[in-house]
Amino acid sequence: MSADRSLQILLDELGRLPGIGPKSAQRIAYHLLEADAEEARRLADAILMVKNEVHFCSRCFNYATDDECSICEDCSRDRSRICVVGEPRDVTAIERTGTYHGLYHVLGGVISPMDKIGPDQLKVRELLARLGSEQIEEVIIATNPNIEGETTASYLARTIKPLGVTVTRLASGLPVGGDLEYADELTLGRAIEARRAL
């Protein structure tokens, strides 16, 4: 195979990654070409290791290397609360804040009729099973504040409230450092609704 063909295959594969356009793919490809063989091997080994060792937690569907993820196994977590998120990367974002110490449940997406994703394609049944078998007092819905996230949050609230479990939603509004004049109406409206006493 020619060098041009090998490079094009690498560029094509890198270009399939989310957020990597043609220029970024080219920068990464040339970096890998200039790197020593050991650096390229470490990257390849890390990718293969993740693909072979990481799977979904059997309880919350976060990423795990054992049957359950480290959060589900952690006995010091508040087991009366479950934070429901769309994807495992959302767990990472919330954990970085250091302010939430409960459990999680990953839906594996959000309701999106345009993409033909309804509640049956998500881990909703598994969430309801957990609510029936675990001593959960509050479900915090932490889906993104977009149309799909709001649709999912509304559906979950309607489904969970009859079970006698408190359902809350993450507050949304103005970002720190944001200017009122640049905020859209929905964001500004949410900020007014989620106001708090000082």
Side-chain angles (χ1 to χ4, degrees):
M1 185 179 297
S2 70
D4 288 343
R5 181 74 183 124
S6 297
L7 181 58
Q8 190 58 53
I9 290 171
L10 178 58
L11 288 169
D12 291 345
E13 292 304 317
L14 290 171
R16 285 186 174 86
L17 297 173
I20 304 292
K23 288 193 182 294
S24 294
Q26 197 172 44
R27 277 194 300 274
I28 295 168
Y30 285 123
H31 170 80
L32 291 172
L33 279 172
E34 293 169 10
D36 60 35
E38 183 56 32
E39 183 179 346
R41 189 175 300 109
R42 282 195 311 269
L43 176 61
D45 288 346
I47 293 169
L48 290 173
M49 182 173 66
V50 162
K51 290 305 293 175
N52 291 330
E53 294 181 13
V54 177
H55 56 271
F56 293 114
C57 172
S58 64
R59 185 175 183 193
C60 76
F61 305 98
N62 188 15
Y63 292 132
T65 52
D66 293 322
D67 182 51
E68 289 190 356
C69 70
S70 58
I71 294 172
C72 285
E73 290 179 342
D74 185 351
C75 295
S76 70
R77 305 289 296 206
D78 179 354
R79 299 194 168 270
S80 69
R81 288 183 174 81
I82 290 182
C83 182
V84 179
V85 298
E87 302 290 345
R89 63 178 168 259
D90 301 329
V91 172
T92 304
I94 293 171
E95 283 296 290
R96 275 197 311 261
T97 70
T99 58
Y100 177 71
H101 305 290
L103 301 174
Y104 291 92
H105 188 84
V106 180
L107 295 171
V110 289
I111 296 171
S112 177
M114 295 288 289
D115 299 317
K116 296 183 174 57
I117 299 173
D120 291 341
Q121 284 74 47
L122 305 175
K123 303 292 184 193
V124 175
R125 277 189 301 275
E126 292 83 350
L127 173 62
L128 297 175
R130 289 181 71 186
L131 297 179
S133 64
E134 299 176 29
Q135 302 298 312
I136 305 300
E137 297 171 9
E138 180 185 11
V139 172
I140 303 166
I141 302 174
T143 53
N144 289 329
N146 54 26
I147 292 171
E148 294 84 1
E150 292 298 327
T151 301
T152 305
S154 296
Y155 173 81
L156 291 174
R158 285 193 315 271
T159 306
I160 295 169
K161 279 181 183 176
L163 304 176
V165 177
T166 300
V167 180
T168 59
R169 178 91 166 107
L170 287 187
S172 59
L174 297 172
V176 173
D179 292 333
L180 291 179
E181 65 181 299
Y182 300 118
D184 63 272
E185 293 81 10
L186 182 61
T187 300
L188 197 49
R190 288 240 173 93
I192 291 169
E193 290 170 7
R195 69 190 184 279
R196 57 186 172 82
L198 295 176

